[in-house]
Amino acid sequence: MRMEKIVLEKVCWKVKATTAFQFLQLYYSLIQENLPFERRNSLNFERLEAQLKACHCRIIFSKAKPSVLALSIIALEIQAQNCIELTEGVECLQKHSKIHGRDLIFWQELVSKCLTEYSSNKCSKPNVQKLKWIVSGRTARQLKHSYYRITHLPTIPETVP
């Protein structure tokens, strides 16, 4: 592993982790390919992306494998839309991604709970107490001094041509 890292550094190869968003894009495109043309609008990618963002707001989802999280979101959306013909596609993706059934069910339950709470009235207004920055006195003094170092730029006059 160490030697592999050294070789990658020498050839300037940047290794990046695959994210749940990338898996979501991949799974979505694979499922869309297998749908008849008239049913392609049944799954909305923006909605899936918003659900993924809602899940990423919870720390528990940082422990999920990106592939499992993405497939959980898609599988739940397919269940919600009652798209029975897509269930086979999800099972195929699960098999090819080597995701255990119990893992998928576990994360689907957590995603479902998260999205239910996210869409409830409890989540509509943030708690102001939790949104306050708490910094140490030392950090506050450093921030105060750095604020005065900012040079204020002159206003650019607006002229109409």
Side-chain angles (χ1 to χ4, degrees), residues 82-99:
N82 290 326
C83 296
I84 299 164
E85 66 271 9
L86 295 179
T87 311
E88 189 178 309
V90 170
E91 290 170 359
C92 183
L93 287 173
Q94 179 184 347
K95 184 178 119 185
H96 286 295
S97 301
K98 297 178 183 171
I99 298 172

Side-chain angles (χ1 to χ4, degrees), residues 142-161:
Q142 288 177 343
L143 288 172
K144 186 176 181 182
H145 293 299
S146 66
Y147 173 76
Y148 293 113
R149 284 191 214 135
I150 298 172
T151 57
H152 294 283
L153 298 172
T155 306
I156 299 172
E158 294 183 29
T159 57
V160 180

Side-chain angles (χ1 to χ4, degrees), residues 21-46:
F21 180 73
Q22 290 167 326
F23 275 110
L24 192 69
Q25 288 176 317
L26 177 68
Y27 292 157
Y28 177 80
S29 64
L30 290 171
I31 287 176
Q32 288 292 99
E33 286 177 4
N34 294 326
L35 277 176
F37 186 74
E38 60 275 358
R39 294 278 298 169
R40 291 213 173 157
N41 292 333
S42 60
L43 282 179
N44 183 350
F45 184 75
E46 286 77 25

Side-chain angles (χ1 to χ4, degrees), residues 39-97:
R39 294 278 298 169
R40 291 213 173 157
N41 292 333
S42 60
L43 282 179
N44 183 350
F45 184 75
E46 286 77 25
R47 180 175 163 80
L48 295 170
E49 183 182 357
Q51 291 174 350
L52 178 63
K53 287 178 183 177
C55 289
H56 277 309
C57 290
R58 302 280 171 98
I59 192 73
I60 187 75
F61 291 103
S62 64
K63 296 177 182 177
K65 286 183 178 179
S67 58
V68 178
L69 181 57
L71 193 60
S72 298
I73 291 169
I74 288 179
L76 277 174
E77 187 63 21
I78 286 171
Q79 288 175 2
Q81 300 278 338
N82 290 326
C83 296
I84 299 164
E85 66 271 9
L86 295 179
T87 311
E88 189 178 309
V90 170
E91 290 170 359
C92 183
L93 287 173
Q94 179 184 347
K95 184 178 119 185
H96 286 295
S97 301

Side-chain angles (χ1 to χ4, degrees), residues 6 16 57 64 72 85 90 99 107 114 117 120 132 140 149:
I6 292 168
K16 295 180 183 177
C57 290
S72 298
E85 66 271 9
V90 170
I99 298 172
W107 288 106
C114 171
E117 290 175 7
S120 70
K132 291 184 181 177
R149 284 191 214 135

